[in-house]
Amino acid sequence: MSHRRPRRSGIAVLLPLAVLLGACGNPGDLESAGPATTAVGPARLWPDLPPASTPAYDYGEAETETVDGFALPRDDIRTLDPLAVLRAQAEQHPDTFTGPLALDEDTAKKITRCGSDGSGGSDRSDGSDGSGGSDDGSGASGSDGSDGADGAGGAGSQGCPVLKEQYRDLTGDGRDDLIIGIRLPDDQLAVRVFTHEGDELTQIMSTSDAVTGVELAGRDLVIRAVSGIPGYEYRTVWSWDRHQEAMLPTKDEFLRVDGAAGTPKSPAPRPPTASPAPGSTP
């Protein structure tokens, strides 16, 4: 008499296995988010419009200038008096009142009187190690350069329109560069940057604006400025360009700020902020 094994035992083994395998697709697995949106490239308007070949204004973004008459002991830019550098530039351009090297006549006179109290130029009592003083050009008292005595005191003092000099390697050559801020009338601030190669001192950046703050981010110089729309500000990032051998405005934004905290939001483009070239018409 033949006997057959019941097939239910095999089915009974497969059912729990199927349950276990089905449980492997539970929480944690990737799930489809639905069909992907088709990428759409920018559409060019007026493709037949001939491209412009020259800028509407010459802002002097890449203009540099060698400052004559300076030798750097020990190849160290910190040995230079920033007031002497500015005075040397004024002597090279005595009749220039527009462009990247421009200083209004009143400010230029005040710079010539800085240090007249016997302090001998720049006040290096603090911040000479590169950390700088507390004045960052953010529109503090006397931002028009008209407070205090008539030019008495060195750079960074109350009566001098030249702010405390700052140092940072902006060019990436391992050596400090010199950053100078100058208070101008109407709450303007001029910012100039100098580098050196051997005994040659070169200005690699010059700009002015209604500045609310100047910041260093790595080797970038960030300048924040007032806009004509309440709750917004301009922010320009200046970066070293080895091809032009100058600091260029590589990023320009128009930002929403949150109240007094000044937290930037929603970037948007802004026209260049560099000063016009000497002799150009704004």
Side-chain angles (χ1 to χ4, degrees):
M1 186 178 192
S2 63
H3 297 277
R4 297 182 180 178
R5 292 183 181 180
R7 298 186 179 183
R8 280 184 290 177
S9 59
I11 296 174
V13 172
L14 293 174
L15 285 175
L17 182 60
V19 172
L20 289 174
L21 292 174
C24 293
N26 280 341
D29 283 359
L30 296 176
E31 296 182 4
S32 173
T37 304
T38 302
V40 179
R44 183 180 177 186
L45 303 182
W46 307 299
D48 297 331
L49 183 69
S53 58
T54 57
Y57 298 98
D58 182 4
Y59 288 95
E61 298 99 329
E63 290 188 2
T64 62
E65 181 185 75
T66 300
V67 186
D68 298 330
F70 285 93
L72 277 68
R74 302 183 304 279
D75 199 33
D76 185 2
I77 202 169
R78 290 172 179 260
T79 61
L80 295 181
D81 180 359
L83 294 176
V85 173
L86 295 178
R87 289 166 182 159
Q89 284 191 306
E91 290 177 2
Q92 287 180 220
H93 304 276
D95 299 322
T96 300
F97 295 101
T98 61
L101 298 175
L103 284 177
D104 64 280
E105 187 174 5
D106 185 56
T107 301
K109 287 181 179 179
K110 288 181 179 179
I111 291 177
T112 62
R113 293 194 294 265
C114 285
S116 60
D117 61 351
S119 62
S122 174
D123 179 6
R124 298 170 186 262
S125 60
D126 63 349
S128 60
D129 59 354
S131 58
S134 59
D135 194 340
D136 62 356
S138 58
S141 173
S143 59
D144 60 354
S146 60
D147 57 325
D150 289 339
S157 64
Q158 185 180 22
C160 182
V162 182
L163 304 181
K164 185 69 183 174
E165 67 272 16
Q166 303 291 317
Y167 301 95
R168 176 67 65 96
D169 177 16
L170 298 176
T171 61
D173 62 0
R175 299 175 299 182
D176 281 333
D177 300 306
L178 172 63
I179 307 170
I180 297 179
I182 310 167
R183 293 186 179 116
L184 303 176
D186 301 322
D187 292 327
Q188 300 279 310
L189 181 74
V191 178
R192 298 182 181 182
V193 177
F194 300 84
T195 192
H196 69 98
E197 184 66 38
D199 289 341
E200 189 173 274
L201 181 68
T202 304
Q203 179 181 274
I204 57 174
M205 171 187 162
S206 179
T207 187
S208 62
D209 212 332
V211 172
T212 60
V214 181
E215 303 165 354
L216 287 167
R219 295 208 310 265
D220 292 337
L221 192 64
V222 183
I223 297 182
R224 299 167 58 184
V226 175
S227 81
I229 303 177
Y232 292 82
E233 71 175 16
Y234 293 117
R235 186 175 67 179
T236 305
V237 179
W238 291 79
S239 308
W240 171 252
D241 185 278
R242 63 184 179 87
H243 302 288
Q244 296 295 326
E245 295 187 339
M247 297 286 288
L248 300 182
T250 55
K251 189 175 183 181
D252 231 339
E253 299 175 314
F254 186 68
L255 304 173
R256 172 73 180 171
V257 293
D258 289 335
T263 303
K265 298 171 63 177
S266 305
R270 179 208 179 185
T273 56
S275 303
S280 64
T281 302

